[in-house]
Amino acid sequence: MSEVDYRRWLEIAVAEAEAGRAEGGIPIGAALIGADGQVLGRGHNRRVQDDDPSVHGETAAFRNAGRQRSYAGTTMVTTLSPCWYCSGLVRQFGIGRVVIGEARNFHGGHDWLAENGVEVVLLDDPGCARMMAEFIEANPQLWYEDIGQD
């Protein structure tokens, strides 16, 4: 896979993040990509919309992909560095690569993933960084609730 593929997949995650923002939620989107490059599932953070703290962008994409026999060779694409919860999902199911839009606004568990054999591609996308920074500035209480800080 190439950076062109990663950027094309990131566009899917960004569209999901924008959908979440339009619904009044936290603008984090993700997609689970198969080893053949096909989109298996896509989703966005729905913890506000569903009143469910477990529905992060990555978990929504994972759930929407449905049951897979194996996750070997799959890629999780996310607009923001994955939190510990979502990083654990990647490790638990053996997702081999994570493509991250940005980690300026939140540095999650991607270093830990890399240390444990997951390929991490950090794109440092300015659009992702801007979208998240604007959200955090406008909604600091909701943001800190989302990342588990007071």
Side-chain angles (χ1 to χ4, degrees), residues 12 25-26 68-69 107 110 125-126 142:
I12 297 165
I26 298 162
Q68 305 293 314
R69 184 177 179 283
H107 192 104
H110 69 265
D125 183 79
L142 184 56

Side-chain angles (χ1 to χ4, degrees), residues 19-91:
R21 179 176 55 191
E23 296 168 354
I26 298 162
I28 302 170
L32 184 64
I33 309 298
D36 61 358
Q38 295 299 308
V39 177
L40 299 174
R42 54 192 289 165
H44 54 272
N45 185 305
R46 297 194 50 84
R47 61 187 312 276
V48 171
Q49 300 91 311
D50 295 350
D51 196 29
D52 181 348
S54 71
V55 187
H56 291 203
E58 298 89 342
T59 61
F62 183 77
R63 289 174 180 168
N64 289 333
R67 184 173 159 206
Q68 305 293 314
R69 184 177 179 283
S70 170
Y71 295 89
T74 61
T75 300
M76 181 64 75
V77 182
T78 180
T79 56
L80 185 66
S81 178
C83 69
W84 287 108
Y85 169 57
C86 295
S87 295
L89 179 140
V90 168
R91 285 290 316 276

